[in-house]
Amino acid sequence: GSRNGQIYIWDLASGMLGATNHAPSGENQYQMPIDALTYTPDGRRILHISGGSIFELITETSQTRKIAHLELNQVRCMAISHDAGSIAVGLEDGRIAILEGESYMLRCSWDAHTGAVNALTFSPEGKLLASASDDESACVWNVESRECVCGRLQHDASVSSVAFSRDGSKFVTST
């Protein structure tokens, strides 16, 4: 996440940088760190979490608005399903929370790891969620049942990232 509350949007073709902060329009207050962010699947919005709230940045207008206050602290990462119906949030205490994509209401949460959750990603069809943790493990979860579907995959160090293949038949981890 960003420690100074800035989101930097880069144009890959030109290499040009645009920067915006996450404070809603008209507020001149101390910028809180951004804990996690992700583009929505349509590419028109960036969702980010800061200080226990979720914000939406409209990329065309650079306007930001607070859309929900979460009863979740110490957010480490987030991911959004490809259909935008679910948002997963990984927490410092090892929990994973799933939010409804439209209402941002908490659907469920569970104790997923014994260490901080460092990374999350949804499978292409959105039914599975992979997590990486400081507890030196990765897991693939059934989003509905919250069950680890392939057993806890132990590593020899903190797991920093996870990704599914395009067809969802494989996933990779890194330490």
Side-chain angles (χ1 to χ4, degrees), residues 43-45 57-63:
R44 296 189 307 203
R45 298 175 295 142
L57 169 65
I58 309 297
T59 56
E60 290 178 4
T61 64
S62 296
Q63 291 185 321

Side-chain angles (χ1 to χ4, degrees), residues 89-105:
V89 179
L91 304 172
E92 182 77 32
D93 65 6
R95 287 183 300 136
I96 294 174
I98 304 292
L99 309 174
E100 294 291 339
E102 296 226 1
S103 68
Y104 305 99
M105 298 297 294

Side-chain angles (χ1 to χ4, degrees), residues 12-13 17 35-36 43 68 71 79 89 92 97 103 106 108 112 115 118 120 129 144 150 153 159 170:
L12 294 180
L17 170 67
D35 299 315
E71 296 300 325
V89 179
E92 182 77 32
S103 68
L106 181 65
C108 63
N118 295 324
L120 295 167
L129 177 72
E144 287 300 314
C150 63
L153 304 171
V159 184
K170 296 182 177 87

Side-chain angles (χ1 to χ4, degrees), residues 12-151:
L12 294 180
S14 68
M16 297 298 293
L17 170 67
T20 184
N21 66 50
H22 74 277
S25 298
E27 289 187 23
N28 283 326
Q29 62 183 14
Y30 169 74
Q31 298 302 301
M32 293 176 30
I34 295 171
D35 299 315
L37 60 80
T38 188
Y39 264 103
T40 58
D42 64 12
R44 296 189 307 203
R45 298 175 295 142
I46 299 170
L47 301 180
H48 52 100
I49 296 175
S50 180
S53 293
I54 189 164
F55 295 84
E56 173 185 70
L57 169 65
I58 309 297
T59 56
E60 290 178 4
T61 64
S62 296
Q63 291 185 321
T64 300
R65 68 182 181 108
K66 180 178 173 178
I67 51 181
H69 179 73
L70 306 174
E71 296 300 325
L72 303 170
N73 292 317
Q74 300 178 318
V75 172
R76 291 284 296 260
C77 58
M78 69 186 295
I80 189 167
S81 63
H82 298 285
D83 67 358
S86 299
I87 300 167
V89 179
L91 304 172
E92 182 77 32
D93 65 6
R95 287 183 300 136
I96 294 174
I98 304 292
L99 309 174
E100 294 291 339
E102 296 226 1
S103 68
Y104 305 99
M105 298 297 294
L106 181 65
R107 183 186 310 158
C108 63
S109 68
W110 68 96
D111 294 324
H113 293 276
T114 58
V117 179
N118 295 324
L120 295 167
T121 189
F122 281 95
S123 62
E125 81 289 340
K127 295 180 181 178
L128 301 175
L129 177 72
S131 61
S133 174
D134 277 349
D135 69 6
E136 300 183 358
S137 76
C139 193
V140 176
W141 304 92
N142 176 304
V143 175
E144 287 300 314
S145 68
R146 299 182 302 272
E147 293 180 17
C148 186
V149 299
C150 63

